[in-house]
Amino acid sequence: KNRIEARKDELIRRSLLSEEFLEMIQKNKRPFDLLMSYYQCAVMEIETKFRVLNQEYSLEYDKNPIEGIKTRIKSYDSIVRKIRRKNIPMSLTAIEENIKDIAGVRVICSFPEDIYELADSFLRQDDIVLIEKKDYIENPKPSGYRSLHLIVQVPIFLQKNKKMVNVEVQFRTIAMDFWASLEHKLRYKKDIPADQAQQLQEELLACAAQSAQLDNRMQEIRNQLVSRADKGNQ
Ligand code: GTP
Ligand code: MG
């Protein structure tokens, strides 16, 4: 019974907050839509940058370091959830300043070393400002999650001025993405008893370790093939 009550409270709190949020958006409809369109533009800019880099790599080095690019703009629901979780004031400027992953770009790479090469090339571009870097490949999360995260600012050129927009860029290998996607799905499976949850977490952690090993082995194979090709060319 207590659980049902708590659930009800939770729902009320959520819908109240959403109402407050919707009201704020309705009052600021134009500015809110505008802000969201800036994030959309920023994501397009960043995606193009990686397409260009991939093209250059494929012509100059005969390799395609990028397996795929995914982009997304954070949904209203996730924005509301984050406002609540982080106690962010209900205003557009507060949202813009405090939620730095409204615009997201995920770059899926072939090999771990490609991640650092690409990230370096990207950060060397003189219109990109690095705000934050989290290397969960060097230091995986306790869950086992691995990826390189960057928060950057990219300029959007408007009719009269230029606006710097925050974008979160996540770099992963195929193996890292595979693990993260499935772990994400499993994490939202409900009603797992506490004693089993612990065991599941350990199992997922072990899978993460295996996928990291696989990445290293594939990287090793590529390094051997490249050094053989280099010798052949000499
Ligand atoms: P947020 O406030 O949630 O953004 O936390 P944070 O600022 O510490 O961000 P962090 O660098 O931890 O990255 C958050 C994002 O990374 C999430 O939106 C996920 O896409 C991804 N992520 C982080 N940890 C995990 C994890 O354990 N599993 C999976 N599948 N994804 C994760
Ligand atoms: Mg984040």
Side-chain angles (χ1 to χ4, degrees):
K1 204 168 190 180
N2 260 342
R3 255 183 55 199
I4 295 172
E5 286 300 323
R7 178 85 183 121
K8 226 168 92 182
D9 286 351
E10 166 77 8
L11 281 176
I12 289 169
R13 244 200 354 256
R14 268 178 63 172
S15 72
L16 276 181
L17 187 86
S18 302
E19 249 168 53
E20 197 188 332
F21 182 68
L22 284 176
E23 214 174 275
M24 189 273 289
I25 291 178
Q26 269 155 16
K27 270 193 219 138
N28 302 283
K29 179 105 180 65
R30 277 279 301 158
F32 184 81
D33 287 349
L34 215 54
L35 182 60
M36 289 300 134
S37 81
Y38 295 158
Y39 287 119
Q40 192 59 59
C41 295
V43 151
M44 290 194 294
E45 290 280 352
I46 302 280
E47 182 173 6
T48 302
K49 283 175 179 293
F50 285 109
R51 287 190 188 288
V52 169
L53 283 173
N54 203 39
Q55 179 116 340
E56 193 200 358
Y57 272 102
S58 75
L59 292 174
E60 268 186 39
Y61 308 103
D62 204 17
K63 70 175 185 186
N64 291 69
I66 299 179
E67 295 284 337
I69 305 172
K70 298 174 197 167
T71 64
R72 70 109 180 82
I73 303 296
K74 218 177 182 66
S75 66
Y76 290 72
D77 274 8
S78 315
I79 293 176
V80 170
R81 248 180 274 133
K82 198 152 185 171
I83 288 173
R84 198 166 49 120
R85 187 157 54 85
K86 300 205 162 176
N87 261 316
I88 296 165
M90 213 42 103
S91 78
L92 282 189
T93 37
I95 290 172
E96 194 183 347
E97 273 168 24
N98 293 291
I99 309 185
K100 301 215 165 81
D101 62 348
I102 292 180
V105 176
R106 190 170 285 161
V107 184
I108 315 294
C109 300
S110 316
F111 298 96
E113 285 174 15
D114 294 338
I115 289 176
Y116 293 102
E117 250 180 82
L118 266 177
D120 284 348
S121 302
F122 172 63
L123 289 174
R124 265 198 298 273
Q125 301 186 3
D126 62 11
D127 55 345
I128 293 293
V129 179
L130 177 65
I131 302 295
E132 183 189 294
K133 182 183 208 163
K134 286 187 190 163
D135 190 343
Y136 297 127
I137 302 172
E138 271 289 310
N139 307 294
K141 287 204 157 188
S143 62
Y145 176 79
R146 295 181 305 135
S147 280
L148 177 66
H149 289 192
L150 306 179
I151 305 284
V152 298
Q153 288 189 334
V154 63
I156 301 300
F157 293 90
L158 305 165
Q159 288 173 44
K160 289 189 182 137
N161 57 331
K162 145 180 126 169
K163 187 175 170 61
M164 297 303 282
V165 180
N166 288 315
V167 179
E168 180 178 74
V169 187
Q170 302 181 342
F171 297 83
R172 302 173 175 176
T173 60
I174 307 168
M176 294 172 198
D177 190 50
F178 162 72
W179 182 91
S181 299
L182 299 192
E183 188 263 358
H184 183 76
K185 275 188 190 164
L186 295 174
R187 197 144 37 92
Y188 288 97
K189 292 261 178 269
K190 290 157 200 88
D191 299 333
I192 298 170
D195 53 330
Q196 278 177 38
Q198 173 70 22
Q199 195 204 329
L200 276 174
Q201 257 174 30
E202 282 164 20
E203 185 63 11
L204 281 166
L205 193 59
C207 289
Q210 267 196 344
S211 92
Q213 251 177 13
L214 206 53
D215 262 339
N216 292 338
R217 285 174 74 177
M218 298 302 278
Q219 179 75 60
E220 192 52 42
I221 292 171
R222 200 204 35 190
N223 292 352
Q224 280 175 23
L225 289 177
V226 167
S227 77
R228 194 173 306 173
D230 285 350
K231 270 182 206 145
N233 284 337
Q234 277 169 15

